[in-house]
Amino acid sequence: MGLPVEKNALVDKRIDGNLPPEVKQTIHKVLSQVMSKSTLFGASIGERVVITEASIVPKAEESSKTEVRIVCETTVQEDMLNPGGSLHGACAAFLVDICTTLVFLAAARFPGVSVSMDIVYHAPAAPGAKLRIVNTALTVGARIMSARTEIWDDTTKRLCVTGIHVKMEPSLPKSKPKM
């Protein structure tokens, strides 16, 4: 069972997966601290995201390599809907953004800044739908990192959204010459 964003929780016992307890604690703490700032965009949605798994798993295509996998859950609520009554595309993109950032943190990287996000919308998710957000690292290089997200409607067992998120570690600002 997962762990909602809350203070002073026994994180390592509530998040499934084989990542060390201190890594689980770190990703939970960052999500909790960022989403507790109620004036930030999406905070009311982000604070309902539950981390259910944090693992290192073998890559399906390259069994000699591993990848970080973070699984989160949330339920579609009214503040997440578009005028048509289903999960808003911008809300889905926000979920891709915050959940892939957890992958980079689990890979012991500064989460960096977004370079691009490619989102494909496959099916609507209705109010009350339980979403399972599966995130895996694709590449983690010296400065560039990318992750893939699949947002599944666990209620209907349909794939709703896929996303690829590319981030980079920003370069340090250049010092201005003294005059």
Side-chain angles (χ1 to χ4, degrees):
M1 190 45 57
L3 179 69
V5 177
E6 60 186 48
K7 296 177 182 171
N8 302 319
L10 296 172
V11 175
D12 58 306
K13 294 183 185 198
R14 293 191 177 166
I15 298 175
D16 290 336
N18 62 4
L19 281 178
E22 57 274 10
V23 175
K24 292 177 182 180
Q25 182 69 39
T26 297
I27 62 174
H28 176 265
K29 183 178 179 182
V30 169
L31 181 63
S32 177
Q33 287 177 346
V34 170
M35 292 301 122
S36 68
K37 298 179 185 338
S38 62
T39 59
L40 293 180
F41 174 82
S44 65
I45 294 166
E47 70 184 0
R48 296 191 307 260
V49 171
V50 176
I51 303 167
T52 60
E53 179 189 336
S55 299
I56 295 179
V57 296
K59 272 189 169 285
E61 299 78 19
E62 299 178 51
S63 60
S64 64
K65 294 186 177 183
T66 58
E67 64 189 5
V68 174
R69 173 184 159 105
I70 304 292
V71 180
C72 301
E73 292 179 352
T74 194
T75 301
V76 177
Q77 295 184 16
E78 189 174 344
D79 62 343
M80 301 166 78
L81 302 178
N82 62 25
S86 62
L87 179 66
H88 196 292
C91 183
F94 173 70
L95 293 171
V96 170
D97 185 10
I98 64 171
C99 293
T100 54
T101 298
L102 299 175
V103 168
F104 303 131
L105 286 168
R109 291 296 308 270
F110 173 75
V113 295
S114 295
V115 174
S116 69
M117 284 180 37
D118 184 23
I119 310 285
V120 178
Y121 303 97
H122 303 281
K130 180 180 174 185
L131 301 179
R132 184 169 42 94
I133 308 162
V134 180
N135 310 277
T136 53
L138 295 174
T139 61
V140 180
R143 287 194 61 207
I144 300 287
M145 54 203 122
S146 61
R148 174 187 171 94
T149 297
E150 294 181 345
I151 301 178
W152 290 85
D153 180 338
D154 256 5
T155 309
T156 64
K157 305 301 182 206
R158 292 175 70 181
L159 178 62
C160 298
V161 177
T162 54
I164 302 290
H165 191 186
V166 179
K167 292 184 125 184
M168 71 177 289
E169 194 170 315
S171 56
L172 296 172
K174 295 180 181 176
S175 59
K176 294 182 180 180
K178 295 182 181 181
M179 298 191 153

